[in-house]
Amino acid sequence: MPTVQSALAHAAQSLSFVSESPLLDAEILLCLALDKDRSHLRAWPDKKLLPEQNSHFEALLQKRISGMPIAYITGNREFWSRDFEVNRDVLIPRPDTELLIELALQRIPERQPYRLIDLGTGSGIIAITLAAERPDSEVIATDFSTNALTIARRNAQRHNVRNIQFLQSDWFGAISDSALFNLVVSNPPYIADYDPHLTEGDVRFEPMSALIADNHGLSDIVRIANSARRHLLPQGHLLIEHGYNQQDQVQAIFSQLNYRNIATYPDLSGQPRVTYGQWRS
């Protein structure tokens, strides 16, 4: 049987063709197979794996070699310093979406009542993070997928977040006409069905329904921005995450729908990623 050190070396070499961080991936997978943390790998590099541990590790390694994202193999991904459960029913949380959190928190007052809705919540990372950071707020999170909502509810329980309600809904479809919010946030599908990125990397394993939208990736953004006008309080805020090349189109949509103070903010890579609009009824 291989030692911890030799198993990692073999795995890292095997993963060098599919991963930008082959050694890190190998360590994460070996920790999962051993049910240990990474400090154990460093403390016991010469310890031999048991046959069942080695078999488990090789099975995990083959999944990663096939291209399956680490987050789907481990069933977890960190976001805003919290650990969230994920599976193939939901998108993998990405650091770029933390921009949406930052912009929302700038607008949500602390220790005051506030109503906000997260449309297309997926694993719940946006709604749960905002609810946890602003516990005096009332948060509603919707998704069309019942499987996604199951994951989101478990994540809310994991982080003991109680000021949140989950609803199955096609955007605002299940929301009462009289329901009004201070803030609407969403990370909707915004990739065109012909985009070559859909055949690359982690995206190949993610739910297409959460990625692809008609009208060059803009159809759901149009629906959300249009419907939000009926559910935003005067001076209410709309924040939507979108593709790096959609700034002009999204700003035009917001402008045509009579939003004001429109602005687009860059992600960690400097790409236009979130557009803001304020509703003045």
Side-chain angles (χ1 to χ4, degrees), residues 150-194:
T150 297
I151 298 296
R153 288 189 180 99
R154 286 208 292 260
N155 280 322
Q157 292 170 357
R158 171 183 289 196
H159 297 294
N160 198 30
V161 174
R162 302 180 184 278
N163 55 320
I164 189 169
Q165 179 184 4
F166 294 97
L167 294 174
Q168 184 186 15
S169 181
D170 183 11
W171 305 130
F172 284 103
I175 304 300
S176 168
D177 291 340
S178 61
L180 297 175
F181 301 91
N182 302 99
L183 171 66
V184 174
V185 296
S186 184
N187 178 17
Y190 54 73
I191 301 177
D193 58 8
Y194 52 79

Side-chain angles (χ1 to χ4, degrees), residues 14-263:
S14 300
L15 292 171
S16 61
F17 301 100
V18 297
S19 173
E20 296 179 356
S21 53
L23 180 57
L24 175 60
D25 287 5
E27 290 178 342
I28 291 171
L29 296 179
L30 187 53
C31 287
L32 185 60
L34 299 179
D35 194 23
K36 301 289 185 181
D37 58 29
R38 289 169 67 193
S39 62
H40 177 87
L41 307 183
R42 290 163 174 74
W44 303 95
D46 297 322
K47 187 175 182 179
K48 288 189 175 183
L49 275 60
L50 299 173
E52 58 270 24
Q53 292 173 330
N54 188 56
S55 296
H56 189 191
F57 180 52
E58 287 293 335
L60 296 173
L61 183 59
Q62 288 306 311
K63 289 182 179 181
R64 186 66 185 115
I65 290 172
S66 75
M68 184 177 289
I70 282 286
Y72 287 157
I73 297 173
T74 63
N76 293 278
R77 174 58 64 90
E78 183 180 298
F79 181 84
W80 204 265
S81 301
R82 293 182 178 89
D83 192 44
F84 286 86
E85 177 186 347
V86 295
N87 65 17
R88 294 186 66 171
D89 291 315
V90 298
L91 296 180
I92 298 169
R94 289 173 170 79
D96 290 341
T97 301
E98 294 197 351
L99 172 64
L100 197 62
I101 301 296
E102 293 173 9
L103 296 171
L105 290 176
Q106 289 171 13
R107 291 160 173 83
I108 305 173
E110 295 188 53
R111 293 179 291 278
Q112 291 184 33
Y114 200 84
R115 283 177 54 82
L116 64 102
I117 185 168
D118 172 29
L119 300 169
T121 196
S123 63
I125 59 167
I126 296 170
I128 293 167
T129 300
L130 294 178
E133 297 293 327
R134 296 291 187 268
D136 293 312
S137 293
E138 178 186 347
V139 180
I140 292 179
T142 74
D143 205 289
F144 186 73
S145 166
T146 56
N147 290 340
L149 288 171
T150 297
I151 298 296
R153 288 189 180 99
R154 286 208 292 260
N155 280 322
Q157 292 170 357
R158 171 183 289 196
H159 297 294
N160 198 30
V161 174
R162 302 180 184 278
N163 55 320
I164 189 169
Q165 179 184 4
F166 294 97
L167 294 174
Q168 184 186 15
S169 181
D170 183 11
W171 305 130
F172 284 103
I175 304 300
S176 168
D177 291 340
S178 61
L180 297 175
F181 301 91
N182 302 99
L183 171 66
V184 174
V185 296
S186 184
N187 178 17
Y190 54 73
I191 301 177
D193 58 8
Y194 52 79
D195 193 306
H197 292 96
L198 293 169
T199 62
E200 301 172 358
D202 291 355
V203 174
R204 294 172 296 160
F205 293 82
E206 295 185 278
M208 289 295 109
S209 61
L211 293 167
I212 296 174
D214 294 334
N215 186 26
H216 308 289
L218 297 168
S219 62
D220 288 313
I221 293 175
V222 171
R223 286 184 62 193
I224 291 168
N226 182 41
S227 298
R229 298 181 299 171
R230 299 193 299 274
H231 292 280
L232 278 168
L233 289 159
Q235 314 304 318
H237 310 289
L238 173 64
L239 286 165
I240 294 183
E241 182 172 334
H242 53 75
Y244 71 94
N245 58 350
Q246 294 175 322
Q247 172 181 345
D248 292 344
Q249 298 99 312
V250 175
Q251 286 199 6
I253 291 166
F254 281 31
S255 179
Q256 290 163 9
L257 294 172
N258 294 319
Y259 288 91
R260 299 291 184 266
N261 299 324
I262 298 166

